[in-house]
Amino acid sequence: MTAPISDPHFVSRPDGAVYETDEPVTYSVADGIASVTMNRPSFNNAQNSQMTYALDSAFRRAVDDDAVKVIVLRGEGRHFSAGHDIGTPGRDINKPFERTQLWWDHSNKPGGEFLYAREQEVYLGMCRRWRELPKPTIAMVQGACVAGGLMLAWVCDLIVASDDAFFQDPVVRMGIPGVEYFAHPYELNPRIAKEFLFTGERMGAERAFQLGMVNRVVPRDALESATYALAARIASQPRMGLALTKQAINHVEDLQGKRSAMDAAFAWHHFAHAHNELLSGDRLGGFDGRAMAEANKRAEAGEQA
Ligand code: ZN
């Protein structure tokens, strides 16, 4: 398919993604508990589309397997997730995939349509789909849980964190009002959510626990045992009881406005992407993974000074 090249904002970028693995997500089941493990440890589990669709397949598999009662989402290596892939060799935003939502292929679309269609599918659409899957999910979080990584933890029903875990959404630095799955004022109270976003600072696991964003904080070497003990306890409950309870509580959140608030925030998010592109030609305001890491370091140094 050819792109509508008459649009001056359309820049065709051939997909140069080079994957370091064919298995960006691994899957296993034991004792009624499915483990869905992000498996790009050399890139701190940065989430590219390859991983996104592999996650979706793994969740689907866990839903389809009657032997699975509870799903644990985890990340291989030192960190749970560094967020969306904005700079590894496996970054594949131009690549078309077989989609799960009824949005059209973004990859040959001009202007704001490219990212809007893509993010409806791989971020907002996927996160809502995973949040609503009818089995309890537990995020097992160590190290970094940053930006897009927050979205993955937040769509889970419960979060167990190690004491070295931290949570951060630094995308205001890009001129963008938070990540696509805008749950911040639901995960945190609105004043804390503003602080979290305005400063872009890391929130440690202990504070996240005190604020109710995390269910348990345990030492790093007890993270796995604590997570699977909790999962096992839940797995003893009846499947339908769990599914209906999950639906009931998710429904209450939606009655409280979570879903419609997120739709509005998604529109502001995309105004920001478009504004960035108008100003600088870059939807992320000139930041890639390396630039964000350097800006984080500078901010931390400033805090200590
Ligand atoms: Zn975005």
Side-chain angles (χ1 to χ4, degrees), residues 115 119 123 176 180 266 269-270 273 284:
L115 209 56
E119 295 196 345
Y123 297 152
I176 298 172
E180 293 82 3
F266 189 78
H269 179 100
H270 273 273
H273 276 311
L284 302 182

Side-chain angles (χ1 to χ4, degrees), residues 274-293:
H275 183 59
N276 279 345
E277 187 152 19
L278 283 168
L279 288 182
S280 67
D282 184 273
R283 304 174 189 109
L284 302 182
F287 284 95
D288 60 8
R290 187 182 303 259
M292 283 300 275

Side-chain angles (χ1 to χ4, degrees), residues 3 69 131 163 235:
K69 301 287 292 293
R131 171 197 180 235
D163 50 12

Side-chain angles (χ1 to χ4, degrees), residues 22 24 39 41 80 106 136 168 170 188 196 198 206 210 225 243 245 252 262 281:
D22 294 330
N39 186 36
F80 176 76
H106 72 285
Q168 182 185 25
L188 303 163
F196 187 66
F198 288 173
E206 189 55 38
Q210 288 164 4
S225 58
T245 302
V252 169
M262 211 176 273

